[in-house]
Amino acid sequence: MGNLFCCVKVDQSTVAIKERFGKFDAVLEPGCHFLPWCLGSQISGHLSLRLQQLDVKCETKTKDNVFVNVVASIQYRAIANNASDAFYKLTNTRSQIQAYVFDVIRASVPKLNLDDAFEQKNDIAKAVEDELEKAMSAYGYEIVQTLIVDIEPDEHVKRAMNEINAAARLRVAANEKAEAEKIVQIKRAEGDAESKYLAGLGIARQRQAIVDGLRDSVVGFSVNVPGTTAKDVLDMVLITQYFDTMKEIGASSKSSAVFHPTWTWSSP
């Protein structure tokens, strides 16, 4: 019906390419337009101005000879003011963009090691975007944004990288465990040393108390029993302690003490 009344409708976010007798005549904006087909005017085609996205997967090799698949996401759209260039100059826009992406990625990634490629994804994306912007602007297209969404090494390489990472983490864990055990042993040794030190102080004080008690006993016994010497008192105290010790050993069923005679050797 539109062609019958020489009218044509152009949808929103779309432009129409108008030709007259096969030659480009004008770009029709969204809306309703008069198209005198009887005078040779016709619509050659429509061009979308919407943002489009192209995902490109490119296989290449890094500097350390690891094959990877680089996945780039290209967001682009046709420029309304250059709609005629975008419509006439390229027959397959997506293939053209893909060729430029391949060229830039295969020129950039081989200069980087695998780890560097992961770290410099933004630099690779910027290089792709700059090259595409320079090339596609001549064809009436704008590159809105370029993203490197993924870098996929070979499955064997990923497994090896995971094993290296796991080994490194196990090594760190082993070092931490050894350091913890070292600290425990040092603290235990310090505790033992402190315990022995305190035990030594206790024994020294005990012996001092025994000496003080013996001294007081000798003095008191000598005063109360005239004619006794200090040696007599000490012999009596030692004998008393000997019998007390024998009594304690006999009362215990788990005693492990062993007595043996004392031999006195004399020179011939």
Side-chain angles (χ1 to χ4, degrees):
M1 184 67 67
N3 291 334
L4 181 61
F5 292 99
C6 299
C7 292
V8 65
K9 182 188 71 171
V10 179
D11 295 332
Q12 184 65 35
S13 299
T14 305
V15 293
I17 305 300
K18 175 185 175 184
E19 293 180 350
R20 187 174 183 183
F21 296 112
K23 182 181 179 180
F24 170 73
D25 184 37
V27 175
L28 303 183
E29 300 289 338
C32 185
H33 300 272
F34 177 70
L35 189 71
W37 56 269
C38 57
L39 299 178
S41 297
Q42 63 176 1
I43 297 298
S44 177
H46 294 77
L47 182 67
S48 174
L49 300 180
R50 295 178 180 176
L51 183 67
Q52 303 182 61
Q53 179 168 312
L54 172 63
D55 293 329
V56 180
K57 187 174 184 179
C58 175
E59 184 180 24
T60 185
K61 185 177 71 170
T62 62
K63 186 177 180 180
D64 47 355
N65 295 322
V66 177
F67 282 90
V68 294
N69 287 314
V70 180
V71 181
S73 181
I74 314 299
Q75 297 177 354
Y76 67 99
R77 64 186 169 195
I79 303 173
N81 295 334
N82 298 331
S84 60
D85 292 337
F87 185 80
Y88 287 107
K89 287 187 176 182
L90 289 178
T91 57
N92 192 329
T93 305
R94 299 174 72 87
S95 296
Q96 187 75 11
I97 293 176
Q98 181 175 332
Y100 280 110
V101 172
F102 279 5
D103 181 65
V104 176
I105 289 179
R106 287 175 176 169
S108 302
V109 175
K111 298 177 182 179
L112 304 172
N113 291 325
L114 180 59
D115 293 339
D116 296 334
F118 280 100
E119 295 175 1
Q120 300 182 27
K121 287 170 55 177
N122 291 337
D123 295 337
I124 299 173
K126 186 65 169 57
V128 173
E129 183 174 344
D130 291 344
E131 183 66 24
L132 284 176
E133 183 68 31
K134 182 173 60 176
M136 298 304 295
S137 60
Y139 300 110
Y141 282 92
E142 174 190 7
I143 303 300
V144 178
Q145 191 171 15
T146 301
L147 302 173
I148 301 298
V149 296
D150 198 7
I151 298 179
E152 302 175 352
D154 182 80
E155 188 64 32
H156 298 291
V157 176
K158 289 196 291 185
R159 189 180 301 112
M161 292 173 65
N162 291 334
E163 291 176 357
I164 292 173
N165 188 27
R169 293 181 182 273
L170 289 175
R171 182 167 62 252
V172 172
N175 290 335
E176 293 294 334
K177 182 179 180 181
E179 189 67 23
E181 292 178 352
K182 176 183 176 181
I183 294 174
V184 170
Q185 292 177 359
I186 291 175
K187 293 299 181 181
R188 185 182 294 117
E190 291 177 352
D192 292 342
E194 184 69 18
S195 176
K196 291 178 181 178
Y197 172 74
L198 295 176
L201 289 178
I203 293 174
R205 291 173 182 174
Q206 180 186 20
R207 290 176 178 176
Q208 184 63 41
I210 292 174
V211 171
D212 293 342
L214 289 175
R215 182 179 64 248
D216 294 341
S217 298
V218 169
V219 173
F221 199 86
S222 298
V223 172
N224 295 324
V225 182
T228 58
T229 63
K231 183 177 183 305
D232 295 334
V233 177
L234 288 175
D235 290 342
M236 185 185 68
V237 171
L238 291 175
I239 291 174
T240 301
Q241 290 182 346
Y242 173 78
F243 282 112
D244 289 341
T245 302
M246 292 293 294
K247 180 179 179 181
E248 291 179 1
I249 293 175
S252 176
S253 61
K254 297 182 179 180
S255 176
S256 59
V258 178
F259 289 89
H260 61 84
T262 302
W263 298 91
T264 303
W265 296 89
S266 59
S267 302

